[in-house]
């Protein structure tokens, strides 16, 4: 798949024409990373916009006491790095690969040129940031009003609808703002109830409707 076709599949660039995306792709750098490689660290200077082509990455915020919160697991055609790209501030989270991963990078300098040449991209950026804010608001509400099993069930449903679920208990715990022990207990309970089947780090959904009920999704 050509770079412009890949960009067309992303939220930020899907409003552009193919000819516009050809101009964008001229500024893009393609990079490959081994599993569990750090693409960028929290507090690093802005390196640009990252477009995931292949593989998956986790976006993690680290706290001074050593704890961490996984903000997102990203898959092909998703983007990260927009905030630092726009405000020039250091990256607010670490981006680490979960498997062999390939990305397109648009540096801050290149992105400025893209905005000048293809103003339509500005609307894509605004839409992407708006969606991210909505998602953050939902996560805050879940933290306040859903139990750990409820948050876990909701996350499993969400991940099942988009991709296979292959995460450790610790990674799942970080994604929902809980500790690993509580998540392990909730997973074991879901397995005993026949909602899921656990095989090493892979979770198979057996009863999606029951999980939705546990997550209060109707």
């Amino acid at each position: 798949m050509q770079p412009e076709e890949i960009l067309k599949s992303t939220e930020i660039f899907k409003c552009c024409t193919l000819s516009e995306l050809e101009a964008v792709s001229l500024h893009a750098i393609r990079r490959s990373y081994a599993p569990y490689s750090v693409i960028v660290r929290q507090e690093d200077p802005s390196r640009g916009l990252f477009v995931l082509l292949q593989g998956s990455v986790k976006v993690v915020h680290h706290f001074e006491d050593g704890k961490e919160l996984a903000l997102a697991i990203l898959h092909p055609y998703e983007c990260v790095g927009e905030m630092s790209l726009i405000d020039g501030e250091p990256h607010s989270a670490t981006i680490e690969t979960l498997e062999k991963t390939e990305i397109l990078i648009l540096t801050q300098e290149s992105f400025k040129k893209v905005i000048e040449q293809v103003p339509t991209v500005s609307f894509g950026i605004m839409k992407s940031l708006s969606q991210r804010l909505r998602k953050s608001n939902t996560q805050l509400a879940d933290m306040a009003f859903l139990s750990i099993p409820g948050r876990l069930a909701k996350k499993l449903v969400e991940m099942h609808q988009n991709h296979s679920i292959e995460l450790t208990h610790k990674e799942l715990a970080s994604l929902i703002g809980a500790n690993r022990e509580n998540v392990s207990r909730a997973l074991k309970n879901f397995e005993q109830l026949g909602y899921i089947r656990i095989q090493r780090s892979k979770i198979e959904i057996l009863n999606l409707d029951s999980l939705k009920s546990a997550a209060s999704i109707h």
Side-chain angles (χ1 to χ4, degrees), residues 34 73 79 95-96 101 104-105 113 122 132 170 177 190 192-193 198 204 211 216:
I73 302 293
C79 303
I95 306 170
E96 181 182 344
T101 299
L104 276 180
I105 304 173
K113 294 177 182 177
S122 300
R132 186 160 297 180
K170 182 180 179 181
F190 287 161
Q192 290 172 343
L193 290 170
I198 302 173
E204 180 184 356
L211 272 182
S216 301

Side-chain angles (χ1 to χ4, degrees), residues 119-159:
T120 317
V121 173
S122 300
F123 294 99
I125 284 284
M126 286 189 286
K127 186 173 182 180
S128 176
L129 291 175
S130 177
Q131 289 177 341
R132 186 160 297 180
L133 180 59
R134 287 179 184 273
K135 186 174 182 179
S136 295
N137 289 342
T138 299
Q139 289 174 330
L140 286 172
D142 289 346
M143 291 282 288
F145 299 112
L146 288 182
S147 64
I148 290 175
R151 299 202 303 270
L152 177 61
K154 186 172 183 178
K155 180 57 66 176
L156 292 176
V157 170
E158 175 190 313
M159 297 185 71

Side-chain angles (χ1 to χ4, degrees), residues 154-171:
K154 186 172 183 178
K155 180 57 66 176
L156 292 176
V157 170
E158 175 190 313
M159 297 185 71
H160 169 76
Q161 290 174 337
N162 296 298
H163 304 275
S164 61
I165 305 170
E166 294 190 42
L167 294 173
T168 65
H169 292 193
K170 182 180 179 181
E171 288 169 335

Side-chain angles (χ1 to χ4, degrees), residues 4-202:
E4 54 269 23
E5 295 175 309
I6 294 166
L7 292 169
K8 186 70 174 175
S9 301
T10 68
E11 189 62 52
I12 291 175
F13 297 102
K14 71 180 182 182
C15 56
C16 301
T17 66
L18 283 178
S19 61
E20 288 174 330
L21 290 174
E22 286 177 1
V24 174
S25 65
L26 293 175
H27 300 284
I29 303 168
R30 207 162 183 155
R31 290 283 185 269
S32 296
Y33 294 86
Y36 305 107
S37 299
V38 173
I39 297 174
V40 67
R41 295 187 185 278
Q42 183 175 319
E43 299 301 333
D44 278 355
S46 175
R47 285 186 52 200
L49 178 71
F50 305 98
V51 182
L52 197 58
L53 306 181
Q54 179 183 338
S56 59
V57 302
K58 65 177 179 179
V59 184
V60 183
H61 182 83
H62 296 278
F63 296 91
E64 291 182 1
D65 62 2
K67 294 180 181 179
E68 63 178 45
L69 177 66
L71 302 176
I73 302 293
L74 302 180
H75 298 90
Y77 314 131
E78 293 187 286
C79 303
V80 65
E82 305 100 310
M83 290 191 298
S84 294
L85 186 73
I86 293 170
D87 63 18
E89 294 294 318
H91 287 284
S92 59
T94 295
I95 306 170
E96 181 182 344
T97 64
L98 294 172
E99 56 188 310
K100 185 178 178 181
T101 299
E102 189 173 5
I103 63 173
L104 276 180
I105 304 173
L106 270 172
T107 65
Q108 193 170 44
E109 183 179 346
S110 294
F111 191 76
K112 288 178 181 178
K113 294 177 182 177
V114 167
I115 291 294
E116 292 172 0
Q117 295 175 14
V118 190
T120 317
V121 173
S122 300
F123 294 99
I125 284 284
M126 286 189 286
K127 186 173 182 180
S128 176
L129 291 175
S130 177
Q131 289 177 341
R132 186 160 297 180
L133 180 59
R134 287 179 184 273
K135 186 174 182 179
S136 295
N137 289 342
T138 299
Q139 289 174 330
L140 286 172
D142 289 346
M143 291 282 288
F145 299 112
L146 288 182
S147 64
I148 290 175
R151 299 202 303 270
L152 177 61
K154 186 172 183 178
K155 180 57 66 176
L156 292 176
V157 170
E158 175 190 313
M159 297 185 71
H160 169 76
Q161 290 174 337
N162 296 298
H163 304 275
S164 61
I165 305 170
E166 294 190 42
L167 294 173
T168 65
H169 292 193
K170 182 180 179 181
E171 288 169 335
L172 274 173
S174 181
L175 275 172
I176 65 169
N179 61 51
R180 184 184 61 80
E181 292 76 13
N182 286 337
V183 165
S184 294
R185 279 196 293 270
L187 286 171
K188 184 176 180 180
N189 184 48
F190 287 161
E191 189 170 37
Q192 290 172 343
L193 290 170
Y195 298 174
I196 62 174
R197 178 186 295 123
I198 302 173
Q199 297 178 324
R200 296 186 178 179
S201 62
K202 186 174 183 179

